[in-house]
């Protein structure tokens, strides 16, 4: 089966986005800008430093002007908007009737797990992985089972043999990160199709968090449900415009299915799951998924591509012992700084002495000891200042 092609020709040159001035960013009241004092450069949480796409701003401004702040309607347009987006970007044909909404991706994951596993069932994750994965499984009544990514020295991949052994041993589900956070790995169609075959063989389900899919730099991106017929049978996808378009506070995610059986499970979720969808989140999501926002996304990805490469150069200059691979997706860098002897959780010392807030590597699993996660969804100037500060710490250690 052929890989899903990119939605934009590789020869197209787009202008990067201009990041907002630091004084403007510090007026924000979100987690990124209110967790630390003004002496700290915040690069820990997945928020970006750019103005919203113009269609999103216009849609939200119109809603405020109308006083459109009531309950979310049964069909705010997000299902059809996402189906159009998936077809346009990934040639993935989503049936809008097989889509439901909820407040955010982890909410959707929890509810789908509750609907597909029994209390005490084991659910596979592939660390190092997004820390809420280890939290949402117990919330749904499951037990976390780790099958770490395979690191071959050049990149990461799913341990399909390990997953097969865990499912043969009684695990009932796989919680997949596609693309993977924090490594930025874009799983291949072949790997996803094999995972689907393994899950079907053991009568297990795969729930795929695809929130970083719009931000693939080295592709193509393959939606799990589009990887094969088996994937459509065993899989559920949960995604949102929130990461790519910086909309996390507005609360809207979509849960997607591709078979009659999984669609029945999705329709069987409690109505309250859908009621948690934020109206502003749905309004903003419709605008984000529209063609009118495609140019903005192309400019964002051009900016992030430049920053991931700039980070490599900065690390070579200021932290030459650090180990970093260009992420194939997203704006999160997974960096091994263990050679500097800053302990199991180097983000603590970096915050205390360099005044740069990074995400704590060990929260992503034991594979994160000696690692940090850095958000490069910012200006080149902020990125350079942050790495220079950390480099000064290394020089003085």
């Amino acid at each position: 089966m052929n890989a899903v092609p990119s939605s934009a020709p590789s020869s197209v040159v787009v202008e990067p986005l201009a990041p907002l001035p630091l004084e403007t960013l510090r007026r924000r009241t979100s987690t990124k800008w209110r967790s630390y004092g003004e002496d700290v450069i915040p690069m820990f949480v997945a928020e970006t430093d750019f103005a919203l796409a113009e269609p999103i701003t216009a849609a939200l401004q119109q809603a405020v002007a109308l006083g459109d702040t009531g309950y979310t309607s049964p069909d705010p347009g997000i299902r059809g908007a996402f189906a159009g987006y998936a077809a346009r970007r990934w040639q993935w044909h989503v049936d809008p009737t097989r889509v439901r909404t909820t407040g955010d991706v982890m909410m959707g994951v929890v509810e789908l797990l509750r609907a597909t596993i029994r209390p005490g069932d084991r659910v596979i994750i592939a660390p190092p992985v997004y820390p809420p994965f280890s939290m949402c499984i117990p919330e749904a009544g499951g037990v976390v089972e780790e099958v770490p990514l395979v690191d071959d020295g050049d990149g990461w991949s799913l341990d399909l043999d390990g997953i097969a052994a865990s499912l043969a041993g009684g695990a009932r589900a796989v919680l997949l990160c596609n693309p993977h956070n924090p490594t930025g790995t874009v799983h291949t169609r072949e790997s996803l199709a094999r995972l689907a075959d393994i899950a079907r063989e053991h009568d297990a389900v795969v729930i795929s968090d695809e929130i970083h899919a719009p931000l693939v730099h080295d592709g193509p991106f393959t939606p799990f449900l589009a990887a094969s017929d088996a994937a459509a049978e065993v899989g559920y996808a949960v995604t949102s415009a929130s990461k790519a378009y910086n909309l996390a506070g507005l609360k809207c995610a979509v849960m997607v299915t591709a078979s009659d059986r999984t669609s029945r499970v999705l329709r069987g979720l409690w109505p309250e799951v859908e009621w948690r969808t934020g109206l502003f989140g749905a309004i903003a999501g419709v605008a984000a998924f529209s063609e009118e926002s495609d140019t903005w996304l192309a400019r964002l990805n051009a900016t992030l591509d430049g920053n991931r490469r700039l980070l490599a150069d900065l690390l070579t200059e200021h932290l030459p012992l650090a180990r970093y691979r260009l992420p194939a997706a997203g704006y999160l860098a997974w960096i091994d700084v263990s050679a500097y002897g800053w302990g199991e959780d180097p983000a603590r010392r970096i915050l205390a002495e360099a005044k740069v807030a990074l995400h704590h590597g060990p929260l992503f699993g034991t594979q994160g000891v000696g690692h940090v996660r850095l958000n490069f969804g910012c200006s080149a100037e902020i990125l350079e200042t942050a790495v220079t500060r950390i480099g000064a710490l290394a020089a003085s250690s």
Side-chain angles (χ1 to χ4, degrees):
M1 192 176 290
N2 292 328
V4 178
S6 170
S7 62
S10 59
S11 60
V12 173
V13 178
V14 294
E15 180 183 357
L17 288 177
L20 294 170
L22 184 58
E23 57 269 23
T24 300
L25 293 168
R26 290 206 180 276
R27 292 170 56 197
R28 289 181 172 180
T29 60
S30 62
T31 290
K32 182 173 184 178
W33 297 101
R34 284 295 182 268
S35 294
Y36 300 100
E38 293 196 1
D39 60 334
V40 171
I41 299 175
M43 310 185 84
F44 64 108
V45 73
E47 299 180 23
T48 53
D49 294 353
F50 310 99
L52 297 179
E54 293 84 353
I56 297 174
T57 299
L60 292 173
Q61 287 175 335
Q62 181 180 27
V64 171
L66 292 172
D68 192 7
T69 54
Y71 292 107
T72 306
S73 69
D75 184 8
I78 192 73
R79 298 171 188 148
F82 177 75
Y85 186 82
R88 197 167 66 248
R89 291 199 68 78
W90 307 307
Q91 291 69 54
W92 176 27
H93 300 291
V94 172
D95 181 348
T97 67
R98 297 185 188 272
V99 179
R100 290 190 69 183
T101 65
T102 192
D104 58 43
V105 164
M106 286 300 103
M107 254 184 222
V109 167
V110 168
E111 297 305 331
L112 287 169
L113 282 172
R114 283 181 175 143
T116 54
I117 67 170
R118 296 167 298 185
D121 279 349
R122 304 198 308 279
V123 179
I124 296 167
I125 62 172
V129 73
Y130 184 49
F133 274 30
S134 295
M135 304 173 196
C136 72
I137 291 169
E139 182 181 348
V143 176
V144 174
E145 178 149 332
E146 296 187 359
V147 180
L149 293 178
V150 175
D151 182 353
D152 65 5
D154 294 318
W156 294 271
S157 60
L158 295 170
D159 181 357
L160 295 171
D161 290 339
I163 291 171
S166 288
L167 291 176
R172 302 306 309 135
V174 179
L175 181 49
L176 176 69
C177 204
N178 177 41
H180 198 89
N181 172 8
T183 65
T185 302
V186 178
H187 301 299
T188 66
R189 177 181 290 272
E190 293 73 22
S191 175
L192 297 174
R194 177 63 185 135
L195 174 62
D197 288 340
I198 293 167
R200 182 168 63 176
E201 179 182 349
H202 296 286
D203 194 25
V205 301
V206 177
I207 299 174
S208 184
D209 171 356
E210 302 188 348
I211 200 168
H212 294 275
L215 303 175
V216 170
H217 313 300
D218 302 326
F221 169 70
T222 301
F224 179 74
L225 297 182
S228 67
D229 291 342
E233 292 176 20
V234 303
Y236 302 83
V238 192
T239 191
S240 172
S242 62
K243 283 291 186 290
Y245 300 89
N246 206 40
L247 304 174
L250 299 185
K251 295 298 177 183
C252 179
V254 294
M255 302 171 288
V256 188
T257 54
S259 73
D260 290 342
R261 182 181 65 82
T262 54
S263 295
R264 284 194 295 271
V265 173
L266 188 63
R267 288 194 301 271
L269 298 181
W270 288 98
E272 185 64 27
V273 174
E274 203 151 40
W275 271 106
R276 295 170 188 154
T277 306
L279 179 56
F280 273 21
I283 290 169
V286 169
F289 290 142
S290 71
E291 286 191 72
E292 286 72 23
S293 291
D294 285 356
T295 298
W296 182 93
L297 180 62
R299 295 181 64 196
L300 172 67
N301 277 322
T303 305
L304 299 179
D305 180 46
N307 280 359
R308 68 180 180 143
R309 299 176 189 278
L310 173 62
L311 177 58
D313 294 338
L314 291 170
L315 291 172
T316 297
E317 179 180 358
H318 297 283
L319 289 163
L321 301 181
R323 292 187 293 175
Y324 159 70
R325 298 171 185 147
L326 291 181
Y331 48 82
L332 305 171
W334 187 236
I335 308 171
D336 181 354
V337 293
S338 57
Y340 290 99
W342 292 335
E344 292 189 357
D345 188 2
R348 294 184 180 276
R349 185 165 177 185
I350 291 170
L351 174 60
E353 300 186 33
K355 300 300 181 184
V356 179
L358 306 178
H359 210 326
H360 304 275
L363 293 181
F364 295 79
T366 57
Q367 299 77 12
V369 168
H371 289 66
V372 293
R373 194 192 73 176
L374 180 151
N375 176 349
F376 57 83
C378 59
S379 69
E381 291 75 17
I382 287 177
L383 185 58
E384 183 171 1
T385 300
V387 178
T388 301
R389 285 189 185 186
I390 302 170
L393 171 61
S396 65
S397 296

